[in-house]
Amino acid sequence: MNYKLELYRQMVVTMKRGNFRGVVSNAKPIFLLSLIELVPFCCNKIMINNTMLSDIYIENRDLFKGVKSTPMVAPFFHLNSEPFYHLVWKKGVNPPPNAASPSAKFLREHLQYAKLDDDLWELLQDKSNREYLKNAIINQYLKN
């Protein structure tokens, strides 16, 4: 058993999700699923303006009937509240608190990139590990 992979699976299936008027958002799980699908095509510097990521997110959001009004910028920023995802800000920038949702313009101007933990990134280089975590996300959050 790969203990690091199991640790990350536990983190993934216990993500905190937004709740608006009693409706729990699946934007973060859908975004993370999209990130995992992007792994073979990029490096561990995830840019806010990555059109491939945006396309995958929209496709997954539609496939899993996510809230259509949740733009990718929201989970891109709010996934930072999880221990395995990090935002790397430009020098001298004071990041907004996790509760505040900055605009895409603010992120494009003040954020260098986002990244996954190096250990998680390394695990995701293996297709079977990607499938394992994708299935964990789907089973935990996206099955009807």
Side-chain angles (χ1 to χ4, degrees):
M1 172 181 221
N2 187 323
Y3 292 104
K4 282 185 184 179
L5 184 61
E6 183 56 25
L7 175 67
Y8 283 113
R9 188 195 69 77
Q10 286 293 324
M11 287 184 214
V12 163
V13 300
T14 58
M15 282 189 290
K16 296 172 195 78
R17 296 180 291 159
N19 185 327
F20 183 72
R21 297 183 180 166
V23 177
V24 178
S25 172
N26 281 328
K28 281 170 58 174
I30 289 171
F31 178 72
L32 183 55
L33 185 70
S34 303
L35 269 180
I36 292 169
E37 291 177 19
L38 182 72
V39 165
F41 307 103
C42 73
C43 65
N44 197 12
K45 289 185 178 181
I46 304 139
M47 310 303 281
I48 185 68
N49 60 354
N50 184 315
T51 55
M52 186 175 192
L53 177 58
S54 179
D55 291 345
I56 295 169
Y57 173 76
I58 290 167
E59 184 178 302
N60 282 332
R61 188 184 64 190
D62 293 345
L63 177 66
F64 293 106
K65 298 170 183 60
V67 179
K68 292 202 183 310
S69 63
T70 305
M72 187 182 80
V73 67
F76 188 99
F77 176 75
H78 289 290
L79 194 61
N80 189 50
S81 67
E82 303 303 330
F84 54 83
Y85 179 86
H86 314 282
L87 298 176
V88 179
W89 298 94
K90 293 180 180 174
K91 291 209 184 296
V93 172
N94 290 324
N98 276 341
S101 288
S103 67
K105 181 181 186 291
F106 179 88
L107 291 178
R108 282 192 306 272
E109 291 175 356
H110 301 289
L111 184 70
Q112 286 187 35
Y113 55 87
K115 69 182 293 292
L116 296 170
D117 278 353
D118 291 336
D119 286 342
L120 176 56
W121 184 260
E122 190 62 36
L123 288 167
L124 292 173
Q125 300 311 301
D126 181 275
K127 184 178 181 177
S128 64
N129 292 343
R130 289 194 302 272
E131 290 302 315
Y132 179 72
L133 290 178
K134 282 169 51 177
N135 287 330
I137 293 167
I138 292 166
N139 290 330
Q140 181 69 25
Y141 303 107
L142 305 173
K143 279 231 168 147
N144 289 333

